[in-house]
Every structure is written in C-alpha cells, then in structure tokens.
Amino acid sequence: MTNDPFKDYIRHIEPSKKQKGYAWQTAIGLQDVDGLQPPRYLREMAIKHIDGKISIETAEQWISQYYAAQPTLDESRTEEADKVSVQIAKLLSEPAFSFNVSQYLAIHKQLFTGIYPHAGKIRHYNISKKEWILDGETVVYGAAAELQAMLEYDLAQEKIFSYKGLSIDTVIEHLAIFIARLWQIHPFEEGNTRIGAVFLLKYLKTLGFDASNDIFAENACIQLQNIWCVFCVIYC
C-alpha cells in the first residue's frame, strides 16, 4: 500500500515560535496564583523549546530527570511550578479540545498528575477560602454532592448559547460571567484557577478568538482570580 499523500496535511503542525512563546509565558504566569515561581532553569529550557532546539516531550523528560536526580531537595512547590508549567505549555500548544466535563477533568489530571493525589478527581468535601479581595470573606463554592451536576449544567447552558449578532462587549461580559461561575464551582481541592484559565483559553480558540495575549501572563493570574471572586459576588 502506498503512503497516504494527505498524511502531512492532516498531521498537527508544530506551533510557531510566537505561539510557543505565548504558551510558555502563560504557563509560567499562571503559577503566580499560588505563589509559585519557576526557577531560571525552566525558563532557559522553555527558550530552547521555543527556538526549536528541543521538543515539549524532551522538556517534560528533562524536568522529571532533574527532580528525580535530586530527591532530597525540599523544593516540592518549585517542582510543582516546573512540572505544571510544562503541562500547561503542552496543552496550549495542542489544538485538540472537547467542550465537556470529561475534558475539564482530563485537563486537571494532566496538569497535576504526580503533584496532587486527587488530580482529575472531583472533591468529596465542602470548602471555604478567605479572599482578601472580599475583605476576608469567602466565595460560596459548590457543594461537594452537587459538583458533577453543576459542571454539567453550566457547560450544557454555555454549549447552547448563541454568540451570533452580539456585540464584542456583550460577548466579553457573557464569557466573564460564564467562567466566573465555572470557577465558583471549585470542583477540585487545588488548582481550580489554573485549570479554569487553561480551559478558557482553549475554549476561546474554538470560538475564533485570538487568545494569544497577556491576560494570563506574568502576574496577571492573581488579578484574574480576584476578578472572578468579585464577579461571583455580583453576578452568581
């Protein structure tokens, strides 16, 4: 049998330097929400990937080898920042995406496997967290017994929503309320802001938006979480 002449056209094309640069900038910036700062080693490795000197799989392997060779280091949070950054960059460089609960859980699992034992698993107890932006008050998060149903409902409602004919301001307002409500569910023990941001970026691309911007880069994710808190109080 001859080689498929369409194989090269169908195969996923390597992201451009600009796309990879945004993916890494976002991946590292998202760690700030939990006070995590990836070391210079990760940034240097990211540049090698952006320049095409190594693949994202090689970057992932190097990070694992780096920490495996130094098991006595008390740098668990740094290790988390490094490993999660690689996974975020990897996810944002891939076009594959499904708008459903399974995808939401799968992204969390990919980001936090080896970091949290509950990676990809919905929490089974109720939580509250004091938010300084709300003067120490907590957002009313989803009840543990209803988390799966809440996720399914919010995604189902968004799926049937039509953006046709809407002004850009209306679209932005709707998306802001949608993702704030999704974040308010807080289905996981940890990592809810990072998973929410990655899910939103991938969803925006399916809607035709150029999500390659600085909204989640550098320290912006901290402001993002604060905005979501306020939105939850006002609209949810």
Side-chain angles (χ1 to χ4, degrees):
M1 182 177 179
T2 59
N3 292 332
D4 184 353
F6 302 105
K7 187 175 181 180
D8 289 336
Y9 295 94
I10 297 173
R11 183 185 302 149
H12 167 46
I13 299 173
E14 176 73 359
S16 67
K17 283 188 177 183
K18 182 178 180 180
Q19 289 174 316
K20 288 190 287 188
Y22 276 123
W24 276 108
Q25 185 184 45
T26 301
I28 291 174
L30 278 171
Q31 306 312 310
D32 279 337
V33 72
D34 284 330
L36 305 179
Q37 285 294 327
R40 190 172 70 176
Y41 170 75
L42 179 70
R43 297 176 188 274
E44 292 174 348
M45 187 185 64
I47 292 173
K48 285 185 173 66
H49 173 242
I50 294 169
D51 286 337
K53 296 179 180 178
I54 63 172
S55 66
I56 191 68
E57 289 76 20
T58 298
E60 185 177 6
Q61 184 180 15
W62 283 5
I63 286 294
S64 296
Q65 291 175 344
Y66 175 78
Y67 285 102
Q70 304 179 73
T72 59
L73 287 180
D74 185 20
E75 297 183 357
S76 59
R77 296 293 280 171
T78 300
E79 181 177 358
E80 175 183 340
D82 288 356
K83 290 184 175 180
V84 175
S85 291
V86 173
Q87 293 305 321
I88 291 176
K90 189 175 183 179
L91 278 165
L92 294 181
S93 297
E94 297 171 348
F97 178 72
S98 298
F99 190 79
N100 54 45
V101 174
S102 294
Q103 177 76 93
Y104 203 75
L105 300 181
I107 291 176
H108 190 272
K109 183 176 182 179
Q110 180 170 339
L111 293 185
F112 300 109
T113 291
I115 304 296
Y116 301 139
H118 55 80
K121 299 177 182 178
I122 293 177
R123 60 181 167 84
H124 59 275
Y125 58 88
N126 293 328
I127 61 172
S128 64
K129 296 181 180 180
K130 293 182 179 180
E131 304 287 354
W132 70 267
I133 193 69
L134 301 178
D135 292 328
E137 295 297 322
T138 182
V139 173
V140 179
Y141 298 117
E146 301 173 353
L147 297 175
Q148 178 83 25
M150 293 174 75
L151 283 172
E152 291 175 351
Y153 176 81
D154 277 14
L155 293 183
Q157 291 300 302
E158 175 63 18
K159 205 166 188 176
I160 63 176
F161 183 82
S162 175
Y163 289 91
K164 186 176 181 180
L166 298 181
S167 68
I168 188 63
D169 288 342
T170 302
V171 168
I172 291 172
E173 181 181 0
H174 173 81
L175 284 169
I177 295 173
F178 160 67
I179 197 63
R181 285 176 172 165
L182 199 61
W183 176 83
Q184 185 183 11
I185 296 172
H186 244 61
F188 307 108
E189 295 178 32
E190 296 289 346
N192 290 282
T193 301
R194 283 173 283 178
I195 166 64
V198 172
F199 189 83
L200 175 61
L201 280 172
K202 292 185 74 67
Y203 177 46
L204 288 176
K205 287 185 179 181
T206 69
L207 295 177
F209 289 100
D210 180 6
S212 296
N213 54 51
D214 298 331
I215 187 170
F216 300 124
E218 299 175 352
N219 297 320
C221 196
I222 297 175
Q223 283 74 34
L224 173 71
Q225 179 170 284
N226 294 337
I227 291 170
W228 285 352
C229 285
V230 174
F231 257 87
C232 287
V233 171
I234 297 174
Y235 293 103
C236 301

